[in-house]
Amino acid sequence: MEKRTTIFSIFVLLCLLPNSIYARTIEYENPKDTTLDMTLYFDLNARQIDKDYQGNGKTLTVLDSLLANPAHSIHLNSIILVSPDLYNGKKEQGIPLGQKRSEEVKVFLCGKYPQVNTAQICIRKGEEYGDALRKLILDDRLVPDREDVLALIDYHHDNPVKMQDFLQRLDAGIPYQYISDRVLPELRRTEIRAVSYTHLRAHETRSNL
């Protein structure tokens, strides 16, 4: 009898509660990352970005749509810059040319989009010159004396000075002329990966008790 009285009292109390009291469930939507991969190309010895070179205009347009508007750039998580190493005819001391290229692109991005936090722009080491060049040669079956070119790259992988010297001598310089015109421009690039995210959103469901 006492137990029945207690249950009845609880039921009466719930009935007297105001309508504003609800059972509430909050469902969180997981953030979804959006990744955009782009590439900027540079002419020989160029230090400035030419919007009319090798389709750079399209990449710059995408960057503007992503970073120029603070309402969009606020969702930016990170920008990753990667440039393959380069060889410009002489042995470089200190910072590799590929890394220098990435640093120049970072300066460009920070200057054009000051609302972007510089800490969000990361530079990662690119492929070594020999590895990057070999990959491009493998992908291009039109390279003259292709097998001999690959053998020279493998043999002088760690010495780009000798590598270029022997490539220039191979078959009266015909393969190197093709490489210079068609392959090396592909190495003068910076790959850009922009990662954005959406904020956590809470969906609230209420029901009367």
Side-chain angles (χ1 to χ4, degrees):
M1 182 69 180
E2 183 178 350
K3 183 182 292 186
R4 288 181 180 178
T5 303
T6 302
I7 294 173
F8 179 77
S9 300
I10 294 174
F11 176 75
V12 172
L13 179 62
L14 289 174
C15 291
L16 293 175
L17 287 173
N19 292 333
S20 60
I21 302 299
Y22 298 92
R24 184 175 66 175
T25 302
I26 299 178
E27 179 183 351
Y28 286 96
E29 184 176 300
N30 290 329
K32 296 180 180 180
D33 289 343
T34 301
T35 301
L36 289 176
D37 290 328
M38 300 158 276
T39 305
L40 286 173
Y41 291 93
F42 298 83
D43 202 354
L44 184 63
N45 298 321
R47 286 293 176 265
Q48 300 295 323
I49 297 174
D50 183 353
K51 66 180 180 63
D52 297 320
Y53 183 72
Q54 294 279 63
N56 283 343
K58 182 178 180 180
T59 295
L60 293 174
T61 299
V62 174
L63 286 171
D64 278 344
S65 68
L66 183 66
L67 304 176
N69 187 339
H72 295 160
S73 63
I74 194 174
H75 300 299
L76 179 69
N77 184 20
S78 63
I79 295 177
I80 301 170
L81 306 177
V82 181
S83 303
D85 202 8
L86 300 170
Y87 175 65
N88 64 354
K90 59 182 179 180
K91 193 170 182 179
E92 291 286 331
Q93 301 294 329
I95 301 176
L97 289 177
Q99 185 175 337
K100 287 182 180 179
R101 181 82 72 193
S102 291
E103 289 177 353
E104 290 164 359
V105 173
K106 181 174 181 176
V107 170
F108 166 79
L109 293 176
C110 291
K112 188 171 185 181
Y113 310 109
Q115 69 273 19
V116 175
N117 190 335
T118 57
Q120 292 177 295
I121 305 177
C122 311
I123 295 176
R124 291 185 180 172
K125 180 177 173 56
E127 289 183 297
E128 293 185 8
Y129 175 71
D131 294 331
L133 180 60
R134 191 181 200 285
K135 186 180 292 185
L136 291 174
I137 298 295
L138 278 173
D139 290 341
D140 189 345
R141 296 187 176 277
L142 298 179
V143 176
D145 302 305
R146 185 163 164 265
E147 294 304 318
D148 291 335
V149 168
L150 289 171
L152 285 173
I153 292 173
D154 290 340
Y155 192 80
H156 299 290
H157 177 276
D158 298 324
N159 193 332
V161 177
K162 284 189 176 181
M163 184 194 301
Q164 178 165 302
D165 184 46
F166 279 96
L167 286 175
Q168 288 174 328
R169 295 182 189 181
L170 179 65
D171 196 8
I174 293 174
Y176 187 75
Q177 186 61 52
Y178 180 94
I179 292 170
S180 220
D181 294 339
R182 304 288 185 86
V183 179
L184 293 183
E186 289 292 320
L187 287 180
R188 297 192 291 268
R189 71 180 189 271
T190 295
E191 296 170 1
I192 304 171
R193 170 164 289 186
V195 181
S196 301
Y197 63 90
T198 55
H199 290 297
L200 282 171
R201 288 183 293 179
H203 300 286
E204 186 175 296
T205 303
R206 292 187 176 188
S207 60
N208 289 331
L209 283 174

